[in-house]
Amino acid sequence: MRTRKTRVTVETHHVLVVRSGRHFGEDWCVECCQRVKLVTADEAAVLTEVSLRTICKRVEANTLHFTETSDGRLFICLNSLMPIGD
């Protein structure tokens, strides 16, 4: 008697849909060399489903593109958020 093996392969894809009542700001990202959409650090944490602390650590480690305003507000380049997947 022969046994049959069945192999099941599951492929998953992550899709990020951003819907907001406001428009994200745009500015020049030095790292991307283009105009990009910017989000606050809090919004970045929500969008990527990580903690604000993780976002701040990544900013300090220069793994996220960011800009800081003169009044201390931190904005993250939306393009640089895409690779996050903790």
Side-chain angles (χ1 to χ4, degrees), residues 33-78:
C33 296
Q34 63 183 348
R35 283 188 70 76
V36 296
K37 295 189 185 306
L38 300 172
V39 295
T40 65
D42 289 324
E43 291 169 327
V46 170
L47 290 171
T48 56
E49 298 177 340
V50 299
S51 68
L52 179 58
R53 182 180 172 112
T54 299
I55 295 296
C56 292
K57 283 182 180 180
R58 297 215 176 187
V59 165
E60 291 171 1
N62 288 319
T63 59
L64 289 178
H65 307 166
F66 67 95
T67 186
E68 198 168 358
T69 62
S70 59
D71 62 351
R73 293 181 62 197
L74 181 65
F75 291 92
I76 311 296
C77 166
L78 195 57

Side-chain angles (χ1 to χ4, degrees), residues 18-47:
V18 178
R19 290 191 177 123
S20 175
R22 69 173 189 85
H23 297 289
F24 294 119
E26 285 191 8
D27 203 354
W28 184 261
C29 177
V30 175
E31 300 294 324
C32 292
C33 296
Q34 63 183 348
R35 283 188 70 76
V36 296
K37 295 189 185 306
L38 300 172
V39 295
T40 65
D42 289 324
E43 291 169 327
V46 170
L47 290 171

